[in-house]
Amino acid sequence: MNTMIADPETYFQRLLPERSAQLKRLETEAANEEIPIVGPVVGELLYILARFGRARRMLELGAATGYSAIYLAAAGRDVKGYLVTLESDPDLARRAEANLAEAGLDGHARVACDDALAWLERTDERFDFVFMDIEKEDYIKTLPRLENVIIPGGLLVADNVAFKDADPFNRAMFRSPAWRSVSLHALLPGHSPRYDGLCLAVHMA
Ligand SMILES: C[S@@+](CC[C@H](N)C(=O)[O-])C[C@H]1O[C@@H](n2cnc3c(N)ncnc32)[C@H](O)[C@@H]1O
């Protein structure tokens, strides 16, 4: 008989992807300083999605200390791509820069200390992969610009879509003919919070 794994929370908690001592240190720092990071499961998912899609032009909105940026830039390094990551807090932007350099990824990532919404308004760069992880109430405001900035066929991954503030974004995404999207609600060990939603959306036009 095909039965389910008993206590999947404990079971999958033990199957965390391997990661470097640096990433483990950043996880400890994030826990101590209450910095919400994606953790090893979503970090690995970002690497896999970017690497599978051979994403060469990646953008991250919300770097914090550079934890998720390290996964994305590592995928970029494998395909001669690069990551631009935006962080509005100058101290965090400096830490993200230092952490990317420590990981040997500074040749594949650029940290810009800027407001993501203002930056999106100004940029004429185009991206094939965007990871969004800023204030959830701002997600809806980014959508019109992301439709210009992400190439047709490009991927948007939005974190924390189970937060109430993401509701306008979720509804707009659900209705929009410009995107083909799916939202997953799952146990995400090491993610802040541990149960949350992730939206994956392909730009259709
Ligand atoms: C959830 S944390 C990012 C965590 C990071 N992606 C990770 O998993 O390692 C959100 C970050 O976005 C930054 N942020 C919030 N609103 C922003 C904005 N409008 N522009 C740029 N950064 C912003 C915050 O300062 C914070 O460091």
Side-chain angles (χ1 to χ4, degrees):
M1 195 172 63
N2 207 355
T3 52
M4 301 296 286
I5 286 167
D7 190 5
E9 275 208 23
T10 309
Y11 178 85
F12 284 108
Q13 192 75 44
R14 289 199 197 106
L15 295 180
L16 293 185
E18 276 306 314
R19 56 225 187 269
S20 66
Q22 183 198 17
L23 285 168
K24 287 184 182 168
R25 191 194 80 227
L26 296 185
E27 290 164 15
T28 305
E29 285 177 14
N32 291 342
E33 299 177 46
E34 297 184 0
I35 299 169
I37 60 166
V38 296
V41 171
V42 173
E44 199 68 18
L45 176 66
L46 291 173
Y47 174 85
I48 289 168
L49 290 172
R51 182 66 185 79
F52 177 73
R54 294 179 173 79
R56 299 192 65 204
R57 298 167 293 173
M58 289 178 282
L59 174 66
E60 178 180 63
L61 312 181
T65 56
Y67 182 88
S68 49
I70 288 173
Y71 282 96
L72 290 169
R77 174 183 54 197
D78 294 350
V79 294
K80 297 189 169 61
Y82 71 93
L83 169 74
V84 177
T85 181
L86 307 177
E87 172 54 55
S88 55
D89 180 304
D91 282 342
L92 288 174
R94 271 192 291 276
R95 286 170 68 179
E97 206 159 40
N99 286 326
L100 282 157
E102 183 184 333
L105 292 165
D106 39 341
H108 298 276
R110 170 163 65 87
V111 181
C113 183
D114 210 332
D115 173 67
L117 297 168
W119 191 93
L120 283 171
E121 285 301 324
R122 286 196 315 269
T123 191
D124 55 10
E125 290 186 64
R126 295 292 173 265
F127 296 91
D128 39 30
F129 189 110
V130 174
F131 176 53
M132 178 154 68
D133 197 12
I134 54 173
E135 294 300 322
K136 312 317 154 192
E137 68 196 33
D138 289 337
Y139 281 16
I140 184 69
K141 299 178 197 160
T142 66
L143 257 193
R145 280 302 295 154
L146 288 177
E147 284 174 20
N148 289 330
V149 163
I150 300 180
I151 61 164
L155 184 68
L156 169 65
V157 180
D159 195 20
N160 305 121
V161 296
F163 280 52
K164 272 188 184 167
D165 283 345
D167 176 57
F169 167 84
N170 292 336
R171 288 171 187 265
M173 192 49 100
F174 183 70
R175 282 193 307 264
S176 173
W179 303 92
R180 184 152 173 175
S181 71
V182 67
S183 292
L184 307 172
H185 187 256
L187 166 68
L188 304 169
H191 181 268
S192 174
R194 219 154 60 91
Y195 277 95
D196 202 348
L198 275 178
C199 174
L200 281 73
V202 172
H203 188 207
M204 300 305 286

